[in-house]
Amino acid sequence: MTAQIETDTPISPKPTATRSGPIARIVAASITLGLVAALTLTMVVLPGAREHVVMAALLLCFAAGWAALAWMSTRWSSQAQRWARVPAAAMATTGVALLAFAPGDRAMAALGWVWPPALLALAIWMIRQARQQLHTRARTWLVQPVCVALALTAIGGATETVLESTDHRLDAPAGQTYDVAGHQMYLHCTGSGNPTVLLSNGFGERTPSWSWITSTVATTTRVCVYDRAGQGWSEAASAPQDGTQVAADLHATLAQAHITGPYVLAGHSIGGTYNMIFAAHYPTEIAGMVLLDSATPEQFTALPKYPGFYSMYRRATGLLPTLARVGIGRLAATIQFDGLPTSDRDQERAFAATARDFRGQRDEWSKLPTVFTQAKALTTLGSTPLIVLTADQGQDPGWPEAQNKLATLSTNSAHRIVHGATHIALLIDRRFAAESSRAVTDVVTAARHHTELAAS
């Protein structure tokens, strides 16, 4: 009887191994594939690439992740996620289009009206599909958070597009831009008298950073601020510029504006290095120089930590414009430039939030090794008045010695230490900006009257 029951009882077939694999592992592997590939391609293989290349790389890597989910879940799981083919196709198509058309900043800004609603719709559709077809905790812990992140990215992109399009602080003031080599250069002068002072921005700075100094110096002579190409109110050049091209831009802008030399050049940080190149190319037009915690032409050799920092930030510069498109740059900008007058602080923050500004920073950073090499052409200023002003807080090893060496460029020089000041405080903190203003006016006085500079 027992044997008969065992014989007549149907034996259930074992599940097919290739159709019942662990879907959670497949989902995790697919998402990990996309993220790891994206980071590797943008930070290791293509460090500091142009914006459209970085964005295309990200999209193609994410497309690969979704395609892997669709393929692996169909082949090795009983829960086939064929819907993942849709985001894979959409992202791959967009990535290939970006590589093919290489859109500039204006085109990317215009696309900001298109891609956020499309991405939001796709994210909502993906959430619905995952709910219907993915029956595992991986939906809650992996797929849905990714879809929510895509939705938040779309919302951030839409918000950033609207804010930038309505922010009139980004519009160049009328009558203060000049066409130079096919792009508009911003130059603003105030005050009167000679010699004219030219102020050169540091990296990541724009002309509003000088507001404390311009208001003071303008009481004694004419002072001019300008933005390098791709910076502030100046349009980007057709390609990243080295120091010689930056100097030629400034020289041509001054000629168009009928601002004649000789000039007192004052530069903060990398702005001081650009001024050295200008002085090397136009030595007869230099009446004096002020180096405000300036970078040195020996930046890569005199500062032991700098090569590593340069390489690390070079990798980040490629990603920053893309992050700014979704509003992350605006979040970072809200903590910058405290200390400036309110209107100038807000202008700086408005620029610092934009992808356009980060594109300019990316281009400039890529050329810094060449800029430092070109600055070495200036070996002496003769007896031209020179003040080196150095902040004593947050210094890297080698910085004091490099500042001392800059002071040897002239036989009529003074090296002043500003105690308690940080690098950026020489511009944006009113107390320390007063020391910067005093250095500029002291050089102006020495240049006018052909006198020796005092050490302090």
Side-chain angles (χ1 to χ4, degrees), residues 251-409:
H251 197 258
T253 303
L254 293 168
Q256 287 202 36
H258 305 292
I259 306 296
T260 58
Y263 313 103
V264 168
L265 306 179
H268 178 245
S269 192
I270 191 63
T273 311
Y274 283 114
N275 282 350
M276 294 178 211
I277 297 172
F278 187 94
H281 282 275
Y282 310 103
T284 61
E285 300 182 31
I286 309 304
M289 185 175 289
V290 181
L291 298 175
L292 303 176
D293 222 31
S294 173
T296 168
E298 286 82 27
Q299 198 87 346
F300 280 93
T301 54
L303 308 181
K305 293 183 178 180
Y306 189 78
F309 170 72
Y310 177 86
S311 177
M312 177 187 68
Y313 194 72
R314 178 83 173 93
R315 299 176 189 279
T317 57
L319 279 171
L320 294 178
T322 297
L323 295 177
R325 297 282 178 199
V326 299
I328 294 178
R330 191 166 298 274
L331 294 176
T334 58
I335 62 173
Q336 299 181 55
F337 304 104
D338 279 335
L340 287 173
T342 301
S343 61
D344 299 289
R345 179 203 65 196
D346 291 346
Q347 285 179 330
E348 279 285 12
R349 288 178 176 177
F351 281 117
T354 64
R356 172 188 174 277
D357 193 79
F358 282 115
R359 287 170 69 106
Q361 290 186 35
R362 177 264 168 204
D363 288 349
E364 183 164 79
W365 197 260
S366 70
K367 287 292 186 179
L368 285 189
T370 302
V371 170
F372 292 134
T373 298
Q374 292 169 335
K376 294 177 182 179
L378 182 68
T379 57
T380 180
L381 289 167
S383 59
T384 300
L386 165 67
I387 290 181
V388 175
L389 202 68
T390 304
D392 72 343
Q393 298 297 305
Q395 294 177 336
D396 285 336
W399 190 258
E401 295 78 9
Q403 297 290 294
N404 285 331
K405 185 174 181 180
L406 291 176
T408 65
L409 285 171

